[in-house]
Amino acid sequence: MKATIVKCSFGIFAFSEENALVEKVLFPKNPQNAAKTITKIESGKIVDEVARLIKLVKKKGYDKFVFENANLAKEAEKLGIATEVAKPSRAGELVRSNMERFAVETGFVKNVEEFNVWTHNVTMEIAKLRVKGAVEKRDLIIAQAIQTLDDLDKTINLFMSRVREWYGIHFPELDRLVDKHEAYARLILELGNRENFTVEALEKQDVPKSKSEQIAKTAEASMGADLAEADLKQIQSLCKDVLNLYQLRENMEKYLETAMEEVAPNVKAIVGALLGARLIAISGGLTNLARRPASTIQVLGAEKALFRALKSGARPPKHGIIFQHTYLHEAKKWQRGKIARALAGKLAIAARSDAFGGRYIGDDLKADLEKRLEEIREKYTEPPQVPEKKPQQEKKWRKNKRAHKR
Amino acid sequence: MHISVKPHPQFPAIYQVTLEDGAQRLATRNLTPGRNVYGERLIRFEGVEYRVWDAFRSKLAAAINKNLKTVPIKPNHTVLYLGAASGTTASHVSDIVGEKGRVYCVEFASRAIRELVNNVCAYRVNMLPILEDARFPEKYAVFVSGKVDDIYCDIAQPEQAKVLADNADLFLKKHGWIMLAVKSQSIDVTKEPSEVYKQETKVLKNRGFDIEEIVHLEPYDKAHAMIVARFY
């Protein structure tokens, strides 16, 4: 005899072939526990309730079980029973179309109102469980870290251009002499007034000798205004904060290095921790990145240019954020499209291997990529000959592509 | 000028508000007085609290402002809401259907449903959050009891009409209504919006729907339209 197993928000049931209720096991009347049980059953686990039901039904002489969930059926087979999958099953449809009445009849709740409250609570708990599961992945934490790092860069630049402008009232020449923001901020914090910019003091701050002499000389002849101690203090305190931000940035970078090593070692091997993390952040997670085709990875971050190209038939972008990789921005302009394609291809493989539990193949991928780069560099040493442009073909990149009207 | 509220001439449980400066807004009666969902203004008038309905943030409000003729969502209805996101429009739907109605909120993005669960469903007993992919309706069939009166669908997917029809086959009553917010950009950026609307209505017709009307949502949303149809 065949029995159909149907799961509900309040219990699990067995029906005969005539759709009569054979046996039932109700869930505990606690939304949190019920939510956990339902989620487990959905993922194909044989929980106590299911095992108990199968046992009860078997005793009544049923030997074949129909499930709506294929995973569950597979697992149930391990208990030594014959299974079948029907989705949706007739019994299941019957239950679902009269769920409220059924809940009252089985004695789970006293009335429909109580059942409505129950469904609300259970769905709430299940949604919470799911959110938790989705958020627990570490790649989302990495995405936040890399975005923080990029925000830090922006903030530091913003503050430093202010410091340079501000301190420039006192010592305008220093702006051109010290390019590095961090060094500039440190000098102001340590030395303060430009009168203190002597050769000895500068050398103490690890400034090379020739540079020190140059700065000291300019300081003496500066055209800047004098600065009161109180005014200088404010500038110095801002410098101090900026230097702290640099420290924070450095820590963040180290953290990303180790975290990426654990989460996405293959991607890291090819493009480094930071760029890899940026790619994960843009796609919204490692699995999302892994599901993207290489051609999409190639232009991630260049969406504006890409959609402009799709709409108007203009030339599509050759690279998105992967342009940040040295392979690309140091390459010759006419080679970049080819390099971007090769790099994106390897990235796609690496991301898939990271996301879906592959081995570490980063070194092999990197070697392959280097080989291909060498090929490109050798084969296309010269810029391509630009054919004489015909005015009509100029803008069309794809034939038969209707130009966008609007 | 004083604030005044009057019922919408056509649609039950939807109200028209005239603000201090004479501006007209839509509103719904707040099911959870004192609590707003997305920073919208709460208005008290003659002892009843209303939530102002922002047409620039909700496509349903935009469609009503653009003279939609039929709003099938009515008090006491059960509504399946696909693509509920953080519950902006869904909360107004919950206001409309009221305590005896019910809104099943299907949303696949865990980030969005976090807000939905914490800020909206926790206080609104008639809203049930379901974190599932709308493309696989059988997965959440367990939670939807009986058939629903209306389906509201606002999912930015290339196959949204098909997804809607699949859900309708499983959950929608005979002669039930659907509302489909079409985002032409999500279906095909290279095509003209009007062509995309045509293509989507064709899909719906093939799947047994009678198209009632199509409203374009400019200037509230660019390249969007609301399709209202009936299921046979």
Side-chain angles (χ1 to χ4, degrees), chain B residues 24-92:
Chain B
Q24 294 270 339
R25 294 280 185 281
L26 289 172
T28 53
R29 188 181 172 147
N30 193 355
L31 201 64
T32 54
R35 196 171 279 284
N36 63 1
V37 172
Y38 54 100
E40 75 281 16
R41 196 172 153 191
L42 301 178
I43 282 175
R44 256 195 175 297
F45 183 72
E46 291 176 352
V48 181
E49 191 174 280
Y50 299 90
R51 293 166 55 228
V52 174
W53 198 354
D54 187 351
F56 284 95
R57 299 194 50 182
S58 167
K59 280 166 213 132
L60 181 53
I64 294 172
N65 271 350
K66 292 280 294 188
N67 297 325
L68 192 74
K69 282 192 225 75
T70 32
V71 177
I73 297 169
K74 293 196 172 71
N76 302 336
H77 271 199
T78 304
V79 179
L80 179 64
Y81 194 122
L82 306 175
S86 44
T88 309
T89 305
S91 68
H92 286 286

Side-chain angles (χ1 to χ4, degrees), chain B residues 161-162 165-166 169 202-209 231-232:
Chain B
K162 183 189 166 280
D166 288 347
D169 286 343
K202 211 170 134 194
V203 174
L204 288 180
K205 272 183 196 154
N206 287 343
R207 297 288 296 262
F209 289 95
F231 191 45
Y232 282 95

Side-chain angles (χ1 to χ4, degrees), chain A residues 302-362:
Chain A
E303 284 79 8
K304 202 174 157 196
L306 177 68
F307 286 115
R308 193 200 313 129
L310 287 174
K311 264 186 172 173
S312 65
R315 293 162 67 82
K318 288 197 264 311
H319 32 61
I321 198 162
I322 57 168
F323 183 72
Q324 289 176 356
H325 198 275
T326 43
Y327 284 159
L328 274 167
H329 68 245
E330 281 176 3
K332 299 200 172 68
K333 204 164 180 248
W334 61 90
Q335 296 174 349
R336 283 180 189 160
K338 297 180 203 320
I339 297 177
R341 200 143 24 95
L343 180 59
K346 292 298 176 210
L347 260 174
I349 299 172
R352 280 162 210 183
S353 154
D354 284 333
F356 306 117
R359 299 166 291 118
Y360 177 71
I361 47 170

